[in-house]
Amino acid sequence: MIHLPFTLLVEKRTEEVPRWLPAATSVGSVVLAFVVSGIVLAFIGANPLQVYGFFARATFGSWAAFSDTLVKATPLILVGLACSVAFKMKLWNIGAEGQFYIGAFFASLVVLVPLLPTDGPPWLMIPAMMGMGMLGGALWGFLPGLLKARFQVNEIITTLMLNYVAVLWNNFWIFDRWSDAGFQMTPTFGRNSWLPRLSDYAREYPVFSGLTLHLGVFFGLFAAAAVWWILQRSRWGYEIRLIGDNPQAARYAGISIARNVIWVMMLSGALAGLAGMAEISGVVHRLQERISPGYGFTGIIVAWLAKLHPLGVILVSILFGALIVASREVQPSGIAQMIQGFVLFALISSDVLLRYKIRLVRAAPQPAGHPGEFA
Amino acid sequence: MNLEVILHAGLATGTILLFASIGEILAERSGVLNLGVEGMLLLGAMAGFSVSLATGNPWLGIGAAMLAAGLLSLAHAVVTVSFQADQVVSGLSLTFLGTGLALVLGNGLTGQNAALLPNFDLAGLAALPLIGPVFFMNHSPIVYLGYLFAPLVWFYIEKTRPGMHLRAVGEKPVAADTMGVNVYALRYGYVFVGGCLAGLAGATISLSVSPGWYSAQTTSGQGWIAIGLVIFAQWNPLRAALGAFLFGALRRALLDLQGPSTLLGFTNPLFINSNFGFFLQMVPYLLTILALVIGSRAAMRKRLGAPAALGEPYIRGERGL
């Protein structure tokens, strides 16, 4: 046994966690993740400082770059909110990716079936697409919600399996029924179903030229406010939080967990579906393969990093949007995913700081503890 | 389409699910849910393939895969057993981390040819009528290992003393602790073993079943199917093996149905258009959901299933479970 002059004393927190600490652990986790990822990058022979410098320029270096970052942040905000709502109830909706795809599919129905006349006015087309997108996502959330409520089927696996089903479902329509002259994409939608972009106003305001930011970002901001209100101010939100914190107490209070499981899954799905709609109506303007580079999964990390707080979701989404923009331009392609994995790991490990106080004290003869024992 | 071919291929691909799900069963029986199987599988597939490529020895690849995935799983053990963090979130991050690491470190492996595991006949048994050609002919050694492994693990869990300790730690850690069983050490150990087995399963993909490195498509969600299988099998290794082989055979049958080939001597009536294959590809995922519904209903009816302490961190001297 080596005797160090200092020893690490770990004791349970008895007092309130300082208000700044949760946010500090989030920031610290991001920093730590970049450091560790830098070591991996150095290991495979890249210069991490160069890579990160490139990242910074490609994402915040100019108005055009920043606009691209916000465009990528838009679906992340919506999906991050979708995950936050569900996770608040300890309902593990890992299916935002599939709900995103089905939302995009349903929104496309408006244009491609077509459900509305192809020359319909934008004020009709866009709300219809929004409604359909949310409906599709809600439906894709309803299925696992029903199975969970009715048969106690683990929602993690069902939502995940439905992700694969959703992608295959979209592929059938893209490759077969709606294929544009044999290409693996549908024809481009008419301009009346495009979300307005800043560059559309470049004639009046030349500064906007080339900026791709579209109206969808306001969907995200509005949804964040709505989710905040639901969770913090409404009776429903109170039920969601109570079920998440203490299902036993919720049951005694006469709250139906089964009903809430279904409704929360649908709300969560609707938010992810709206993200899918915003992406095809605001960015790609048609339905095609790989409309999401894993937004649904990144949303999980976004929600967690934001500590399930809607305002935090917006800030974290911008950071992760930047990560997506940057990683499009570098090889190997897994860098963003690796950094995300490290961020999440550092973050959940740091939770221990919220529950325990760790202090350096002058060596006091402490009995050797059990590995892993903190009490 | 030929029944013998389908069953034969089913055993080969089912072996992947067999090892991955039995590894998960061991971790879960000790009380630790590890949702990181997909990440461990992918890291194992990458490590196995790249080491075999570098050394020319597939067995070194298998060893490296088991070590890599085992080490990755230790991250989950530290976070959930020592730091008592939420097992669901930690498992998910393990999947992200494993996938990300595998994609970054596996950069440039696509299109390479590594030394693969040899296929061989089991002399004697291969001569058996009907069974021989399906079970004992032209398989990789991992498949034969799987036949022995499932019953051995079942025996270990249900009939031996260390197996009893494993169950005690997963069902009632407080009682196990009083008996003098080291709850923390056992949980660390079984999470690690589970990780090693996932690594073995991953290397089986890249060095035998579908040789090569195809980034995230290498595993295409089989880690998640393995987790679903654990629930379907109600944490029983023998049922898991059976489910794994059935799933494997089904995957192969679906592959055959997608083409305009003949079906049992007739032209395939299910072949309308090659794009209908997308619907057939959904079947394994939908069946996993169905298997879960069946497994969950049986668990509800018989009041058995998940280890009682699954997902609960053990904190000595606090609330007893």
Side-chain angles (χ1 to χ4, degrees):
Chain A
M1 188 75 197
I2 314 156
H3 283 282
L4 295 169
F6 291 98
T7 178
L8 225 45
L9 190 63
V10 181
E11 51 192 27
K12 200 146 178 69
R13 262 186 206 283
T14 42
E15 75 284 352
E16 283 279 295
V17 175
R19 284 185 68 95
W20 52 268
L21 191 56
T25 58
S26 289
V27 174
S29 303
V30 173
V31 173
L32 188 67
F34 273 94
V35 172
V36 177
S37 303
I39 295 170
V40 177
L41 287 175
F43 178 75
I44 61 167
N47 179 348
L49 289 180
Q50 237 167 19
V51 173
Y52 294 157
F54 176 80
F55 273 23
R57 277 193 306 281
T59 52
F60 298 105
S62 67
W63 281 114
F66 186 56
S67 156
D68 279 352
T69 296
L70 288 181
V71 168
K72 292 292 167 203
T74 299
L76 287 180
I77 295 173
L78 288 164
V79 169
L81 292 169
C83 293
S84 299
V85 172
F87 292 177
K88 202 82 185 177
M89 207 176 114
K90 297 240 162 69
L91 191 60
W92 304 111
N93 177 16
I94 313 301
E97 183 81 356
Q99 290 143 15
F100 178 97
Y101 272 89
I102 295 296
F105 171 80
F106 267 63
S108 305
L109 290 175
V110 175
V111 183
L112 294 171
V113 169
L115 294 181
L116 286 177
T118 44
D119 54 355
W123 57 261
L124 185 65
M125 297 296 280
I126 285 168
M129 288 174 79
M130 289 171 69
M132 286 297 280
M134 290 169 76
L135 179 72
L139 176 75
W140 219 238
F142 170 77
L143 295 173
L146 183 72
L147 290 177
K148 166 91 174 175
R150 195 86 176 72
F151 305 119
Q152 289 169 25
V153 179
N154 185 320
E155 76 279 14
I156 300 172
I157 320 269
T158 49
T159 49
L160 220 124
M161 293 290 118
L162 286 176
N163 287 342
Y164 292 98
V165 176
V167 171
L168 289 166
W169 171 263
N170 272 16
N171 278 352
F172 171 74
W173 293 91
I174 299 162
F175 281 69
D176 198 282
R177 294 300 140 107
W178 293 337
S179 167
D180 185 23
F183 289 105
Q184 290 146 16
M185 51 180 70
T186 67
T188 305
F189 297 167
R191 288 201 81 106
N192 55 346
S193 57
W194 293 19
L195 289 175
R197 287 202 280 213
L198 282 183
S199 59
D200 296 347
Y201 302 97
R203 200 191 304 264
E204 294 93 331
Y205 307 96
V207 276
F208 287 167
S209 84
L211 298 189
T212 49
L213 188 65
H214 58 83
L215 188 69
V217 75
F218 289 105
F219 301 172
L221 299 180
F222 179 78
V227 166
W228 177 84
W229 187 85
I230 290 176
L231 286 178
Q232 300 301 328
R233 289 285 179 269
S234 78
R235 189 190 151 74
W236 186 25
Y238 170 74
E239 292 190 4
I240 293 172
R241 283 182 290 135
L242 186 58
I243 295 173
D245 289 340
N246 191 343
Q248 202 68 33
R251 221 171 277 126
Y252 288 143
I255 296 170
S256 163
I257 294 184
R259 202 191 61 220
N260 272 301
V261 163
I262 294 177
W263 279 110
V264 169
M265 278 303 296
M266 286 176 71
L267 173 63
S268 181
L271 287 164
L274 183 61
M277 176 271 167
E279 194 68 7
I280 58 162
S281 173
V283 182
V284 275
H285 303 137
R286 62 175 159 230
L287 194 63
Q288 61 179 34
E289 267 195 297
R290 298 195 192 89
I291 43 177
S292 157
Y295 290 130
F297 300 108
T298 306
I300 297 166
I301 308 178
V302 167
W304 213 253
L305 203 56
K307 308 274 175 198
L308 312 185
H309 193 287
L311 181 67
V313 166
I314 296 174
L315 296 176
V316 176
S317 294
I318 294 173
L319 176 72
F320 275 64
L323 208 51
I324 292 175
V325 170
S327 68
R328 271 190 318 194
E329 324 216 346
V330 290
Q331 284 294 325
S333 59
I335 291 181
Q337 214 163 358
M338 180 182 72
I339 296 177
Q340 291 173 8
F342 279 125
V343 169
L344 198 48
F345 244 108
L347 188 73
I348 48 175
S349 312
S350 69
D351 259 6
V352 77
L353 296 175
L354 304 184
R355 278 178 289 121
Y356 295 93
K357 263 200 310 203
I358 297 170
R359 286 189 298 156
L360 264 181
V361 290
R362 224 168 247 294
Q366 285 279 320
H370 218 286
E373 184 189 323
F374 284 114
Chain B
M1 180 152 158
N2 176 327
L3 199 62
E4 199 179 295
V5 172
I6 289 175
L7 291 178
H8 186 273
L11 290 171
T13 47
T15 300
I16 302 161
L17 291 174
L18 182 143
F19 282 102
S21 59
I22 289 182
E24 180 66 14
I25 285 176
L26 286 169
E28 290 195 18
R29 290 295 288 253
S30 81
V32 183
L33 172 70
N34 187 351
L35 294 178
V37 183
E38 179 76 6
M40 300 190 293
L41 214 56
L42 202 59
L43 189 68
M46 187 284 298
F49 189 77
S50 93
V51 168
S52 173
L53 185 70
T55 62
N57 184 340
W59 294 105
L60 283 179
I62 296 273
M66 293 179 71
L67 191 66
L71 288 177
L72 184 66
S73 73
L74 281 183
H76 181 65
V78 171
V79 170
T80 58
V81 180
S82 294
F83 294 169
Q84 302 143 20
D86 192 292
Q87 295 180 3
V88 172
V89 188
S90 171
L92 285 174
S93 23
L94 198 70
T95 287
F96 279 109
L97 189 59
T99 309
L101 277 174
L103 294 184
V104 171
L105 299 175
N107 184 38
L109 289 180
T110 311
Q112 305 263 26
N113 289 311
L116 304 178
L117 289 172
N119 281 6
F120 58 88
D121 300 352
L122 275 193
L125 290 170
L128 290 171
L130 296 172
I131 301 172
V134 172
F135 284 86
F136 303 114
M137 228 181 233
N138 197 28
H139 276 306
S140 83
I142 310 293
V143 174
Y144 301 127
L145 189 66
Y147 298 158
L148 296 176
F149 191 69
L152 276 179
V153 172
W154 176 84
F155 184 82
Y156 174 82
I157 295 177
E158 302 295 335
K159 304 288 176 199
T160 69
R161 203 171 168 74
M164 190 186 75
H165 289 164
L166 162 64
R167 282 181 285 138
V169 165
E171 297 287 344
K172 215 163 172 44
V174 125
D177 199 2
T178 342
M179 268 159 52
V181 176
N182 187 338
V183 177
Y184 299 106
L186 279 196
R187 286 190 169 173
Y188 263 88
Y190 285 109
V191 169
F192 180 71
V193 170
C196 291
L197 290 173
L200 173 63
T204 308
I205 303 176
S206 61
L207 293 177
S208 172
V209 177
S210 42
W213 174 248
Y214 307 97
S215 47
Q217 266 88 49
T218 314
T219 52
S220 63
Q222 292 194 74
W224 296 105
I225 293 181
I227 296 172
L229 210 54
V230 170
I231 300 172
F232 172 70
Q234 310 210 321
W235 293 268
N236 177 341
L238 292 176
R239 285 185 60 154
L242 187 71
F245 289 142
L246 278 177
F247 240 97
L250 182 92
R251 265 183 115 85
R252 177 54 200 240
L254 288 171
L255 214 63
D256 280 3
L257 282 177
Q258 279 176 47
S261 63
T262 52
L263 184 70
L264 306 169
F266 302 94
T267 318
N268 182 356
L270 294 173
F271 181 80
I272 305 158
N273 169 337
S274 64
N275 286 331
F276 279 79
F278 289 123
F279 293 109
L280 290 171
Q281 285 169 39
M282 290 177 192
V283 173
Y285 306 114
L286 292 174
L287 270 183
T288 305
I289 295 177
L290 187 70
L292 270 184
V293 174
I294 294 169
S296 307
R297 290 199 66 175
M300 276 162 74
R301 210 174 40 239
K302 287 191 274 176
R303 286 161 180 268
L304 50 79
L310 183 62
E312 299 291 336
Y314 178 61
I315 307 168
R316 206 181 208 187
E318 257 186 24
R319 63 201 159 139
L321 268 168

